Amino acid sequence: MMANKARVWVLAKPFEGDIVHDNFKLVEEELPPVKDGEISIEALYLTVDPYQRVFPVEVGQTPVGQQVARVVESRHSDYPVGKLLLAQVGCRDKTVLDPTEKNRYFIHPFTPPKTVYNLQELGDVSPSLYLGVFGMPGLTGYFGVLDKCQPKPGEVVLVSTAAGAVGSVVGQIAKIKGATVIGSAGSKEKCDWLKEVGFDHVFNYKETSVEDALKEFAPDGVDCYFDNVGGDYAITVLNNMRQNGRFCACGQISQYSLKEKKPVQDILNVIMLRELVVTGHMVYPNLDRFDSARQEMAQWIKEGKLKYKETIREDFLKLPDAMMEIFQGTAIGKLLVKA
Amino acid sequence: MMANKARVWVLAKPFEGDIVHDNFKLVEEELPPVKDGEISIEALYLTVDPYQRVFPVEVGQTPVGQQVARVVESRHSDYPVGKLLLAQVGCRDKTVLDPTEKNRYFIHPFTPPKTVYNLQELGDVSPSLYLGVFGMPGLTGYFGVLDKCQPKPGEVVLVSTAAGAVGSVVGQIAKIKGATVIGSAGSKEKCDWLKEVGFDHVFNYKETSVEDALKEFAPDGVDCYFDNVGGDYAITVLNNMRQNGRFCACGQISQYSLKEKKPVQDILNVIMLRELVVTGHMVYPNLDRFDSARQEMAQWIKEGKLKYKETIREDFLKLPDAMMEIFQGTAIGKLLVKA
């Protein structure tokens, strides 16, 4: 049996501006004994996602966050020792919980209703993938591109943060659907990987402005834009969309660390005249379609049509560094911490 | 036979800021003889709509605009003398044309493809209604509220410029669909009329801010907003929409006369988190559904569920005044000029 103490990263100072080490404090927490119907779990992989700073918790509480965990002690027959689970318990390495309980971080509709979920059987895949391509980011991309962007053969699809865990799925699925896909990312390494996985056009937004890239790669405009960055980038794309274009607002990573958001061009007139559809996208309203979505993606992976990458940082103690890193954009694909 | 001279209002000075008399000049135009296959028409009613300033033409040309006209001379057997037509020939009282010709003002997708259309048979109705409730404005409201807003029973629908030719249709159809409907307008007379036709809540935006009105009438937020005004009003509503709300961007009358548009709050984050659908709306892509839409509206009118109002200014020479008036908001319902 494991030591009965959990390590928990808690918020020491509310997020404001860039994330810094001072935002976090590591505390030790005495775990209660496992009662009838309860289990004790231990984190294997912890997710690192931009949304973790968007839903900050109170000082002293652990930021929201999912983990793939293993049951290490069980008094519930459906959850034997060794079983792997997806748990949303925040940034902590060990947890005693009732696996049937409601979500500890239930912020409807942004989080699923239960605290733990079984990992869907998808063959011999790393459990870490349930935080990436088969997890919240991959599913966000899957439903976003299919339901909100609805790319058609020959259409031009643009994806920002295209080398990330969401964007890379979006771009590749748009390719599967027959679109011409443009992706932007912030390093040569990322751009190279995007070319490798089949993006038609790629640009490094730190070197090429989105205006220039669109002039070159989408001179007749963009049919679908999957927005992960917001701000001026998004406004520029809106002004370069084609009639009946679809704009999926999925993330605004350029905005989360700003102390004050700046006003932008009023784009309602553009939306009206071009008959655009600008849609906000969250993944969890699609919870009942997660299993079939994962199965379709697993099939695409098997066929070599969908590729993914993981960037795994070792050690639970590196979690704050990884949360800083996700905003620095240094990692390719899904960023994770291995506990 | 009529005199062979047409009076034509042409643009004397491009629209900039508020519309003034100096923007217009009346010219006389010698009409050509009616050739085989052609007809000569005379305007009965001319439309006055905000969009006429949004699509300004070159100096010396007549602004875009529809009219209900009567055939006064004919050398085309399908268009006998006396027949009534809907013609998009701009702000002129007489016109010689080939009734099979393509639209003289074809600015895809904002105008329909032909210059003249037959008036659909809807019983004993005033031909002026084909510019109002059965015309572009009424159909704009019909398709906008049904396709883009999709109001459901019990939902809260807000309409701006609710006493106008578009807004009044939107609000009443939302009522027919079982929604609770809030409308705003700019005078007591307009607000009284809206209460009369069944709006649940009405406010005069010159006396009550949209913030205050929403606090009072939609404390839990708005499900659907049909936007005819744009600007700060629209942004305030966006910030007060419920999860999965629908925002139909149909007009920005508050913006058309501004010399410079001012930046607004960046609302992509609100769109994302609330999973809003912000849709641009134009009426003519629905051209093939116009007939059935008019029939359904005619039925609602017969049943007393849909009411309309016309404000008719006499005399072709008053057209510039009426175009100023549409931006001053003094008329209730559909504003027309009787030639």
Side-chain angles (χ1 to χ4, degrees), chain A residues 109-110 227 234 243 247 249-252 256 261 263-264 266 268-269 271-273 275-280 282 285, chain B residues 109-110 227 234 243 247 249-252 255-256 261 263-264 266 268-269 271-273 275-280 282 285:
Chain A
F110 310 125
D227 185 29
Q243 206 68 28
F247 180 113
C250 181
Q252 285 91 36
Y256 302 147
K261 287 195 186 173
V264 296
D266 183 349
L268 283 175
N269 205 47
I271 292 174
M272 176 181 77
L273 291 177
E275 299 169 280
L276 305 180
V277 182
V278 180
T279 312
M282 304 296 288
Chain B
F110 310 126
D227 185 29
Q243 205 69 27
F247 180 114
C250 182
Q252 286 92 34
Q255 306 294 297
Y256 302 146
K261 286 195 186 173
V264 295
D266 182 349
L268 283 175
N269 204 48
I271 292 174
M272 175 182 78
L273 292 177
E275 298 167 281
L276 305 182
V277 181
V278 180
T279 313
M282 305 296 287

